[in-house]
Amino acid sequence: MNQLLAGKTFVIMGVANKRSIAWGIARILHDAGARLIFTYQGERLKKNVEELVATLERDDSLLLPCDVTKDDEITEAFATIKEKVGVIHGLAHCIAFAKTEELQGEFVNTSREGYHLAQDISAYSLVAVARAAKELMTEGGSIVTLTYLGGERVVPNYNVMGVAKAALDAIVKYLANDLGPRNIRVNSISAGPIRTLAAKGVKDFNSILKTIEEKAPLRRTVTQEEVGKTALYLLSDLSSGVTGEIIHVDSGFNILGSV
Ligand code: NAD
């Protein structure tokens, strides 16, 4: 076990269950000595998160509700963190949502409402959360979000979420520029497909996984832990000169031309 994050505190947003990428990140940060604060979407997920957090060795985690579509919940969550913890050193934003009916068929059929919802939860929320978090990053900090190749290229059925990820990728760069003078870095990890609750919403997700196993340079999919290890790099001093970057953790799939 390394102690890269000893004495540091990180906010993890987006644990739904043990398959969540956020949980993979949490375990790696915990093993590196970090204190963790978890935010979850609502009461429905509270028990899941409590049970997972109870499996960690440390018992000083803080758990807070935070539905990112609600400004007052974001304000309240970060006010509580300020009161109970004070300074934070980083944040992992692992949140996305689109209606299942928008994650199949032709993108041209995307509804106005479905478009706004996907953008609000999956892209704008990073702006709102970064604005609140920066006030607690008085010793500098690092923010990491999760993106996907579908924001750079057309991936069948990813549709409205691909467009939200394209916005998220641009948001990372604008935030990196705004927050850099405060010594706050903002980066994203473009994860390869991993079987999670969110991923299950994408039609034919299994065939995306199969393509990775057959074509990606490493000929396999990636794990939550592998994403977590890159998050550890981005959230620790190891990446002190890196901001506004997208790092692909996808078995190399993104480098391929026509497959
Ligand atoms: P997941 O379902 O475990 O996590 C998604 C999280 O978003 C859940 O915890 C859910 O509660 C949260 N969320 C949704 N709406 C919310 C709201 N209004 N307020 C607060 N939280 C809300 O799935 P995951 O795959 O671990 O997703 C985490 C991130 O990783 C997402 O941004 C996703 O797009 C991204 N990602 C996933 C994959 C993959 O294949 N699984 C690949 C690349 C990127």
Side-chain angles (χ1 to χ4, degrees):
M1 194 200 295
N2 67 74
Q3 283 297 306
L4 273 173
L5 303 180
K8 304 259 169 88
T9 303
F10 295 83
V11 179
I12 310 281
M13 308 186 78
V15 175
N17 57 38
K18 66 171 191 225
R19 289 175 181 266
S20 293
I21 294 177
W23 183 242
I25 293 175
R27 273 181 298 152
I28 298 283
L29 300 192
H30 169 270
D31 290 352
R35 179 179 182 189
L36 301 178
I37 299 163
F38 293 88
T39 72
Y40 51 88
Q41 189 179 354
E43 283 305 307
R44 196 173 49 86
L45 292 176
K46 186 177 180 190
K47 195 156 167 281
N48 275 7
V49 182
E50 279 175 350
E51 282 173 9
L52 286 171
V53 171
T55 65
L56 296 175
E57 260 170 49
R58 285 182 77 135
D59 60 2
D60 58 356
S61 301
L62 189 61
L63 276 64
L64 299 166
C66 183
D67 181 330
V68 294
T69 60
K70 297 176 182 154
D71 283 332
D72 55 335
E73 286 201 19
I74 296 175
T75 305
E76 200 177 322
F78 283 89
T80 307
I81 296 169
K82 186 173 185 186
E83 183 198 320
K84 301 215 161 140
V85 179
V87 177
I88 61 169
H89 302 92
L91 179 143
H93 170 277
C94 316
I95 290 175
F97 184 77
K99 292 178 177 182
T100 316
E101 61 264 35
E102 310 274 8
L103 297 172
Q104 56 190 302
E106 295 184 333
F107 169 69
V108 73
N109 292 326
T110 302
S111 69
R112 189 183 298 271
E113 192 210 341
Y115 184 89
H116 285 158
L117 185 67
Q119 286 283 339
D120 188 20
I121 297 178
S122 317
Y124 177 75
S125 67
L126 181 65
V127 183
V129 161
R131 190 162 58 241
K134 73 180 182 358
E135 301 305 325
L136 279 62
M137 292 183 175
T138 50
E139 298 171 4
S142 175
I143 297 174
V144 168
T145 189
L146 266 303
T147 189
Y148 178 57
L149 188 63
E152 299 172 68
R153 319 252 175 84
V154 174
V155 173
N157 299 319
Y158 203 61
N159 297 356
V160 72
M161 188 57 85
V163 177
K165 291 302 191 193
L168 184 71
D169 293 351
I171 286 168
V172 164
K173 293 177 189 151
Y174 276 89
L175 288 178
N177 188 53
D178 277 356
L179 304 185
R182 295 174 182 242
N183 195 26
I184 298 172
R185 300 179 292 107
V186 187
N187 293 287
S188 79
I189 299 172
S190 182
I194 298 174
R195 207 184 293 276
T196 63
L197 206 62
K200 274 205 319 213
V202 181
K203 190 162 185 278
D204 288 338
F205 185 72
N206 283 346
S207 68
I208 298 180
L209 289 174
K210 195 157 166 272
T211 305
I212 302 296
E213 283 162 4
E214 286 170 1
K215 311 281 188 196
L218 295 181
R219 300 286 193 276
R220 63 173 179 83
T221 54
V222 295
T223 63
Q224 281 90 336
E225 287 68 30
E226 287 175 314
V227 176
K229 285 190 283 183
T230 296
L232 172 60
Y233 160 72
L234 287 173
L235 291 169
S236 74
D237 190 55
L238 288 178
S239 60
S240 56
V242 179
T243 195
E245 197 67 70
I246 299 179
I247 300 184
H248 294 85
V249 179
D250 66 348
S251 299
F253 185 74
N254 73 95
I255 67 169
L256 299 178
S258 170
V259 290

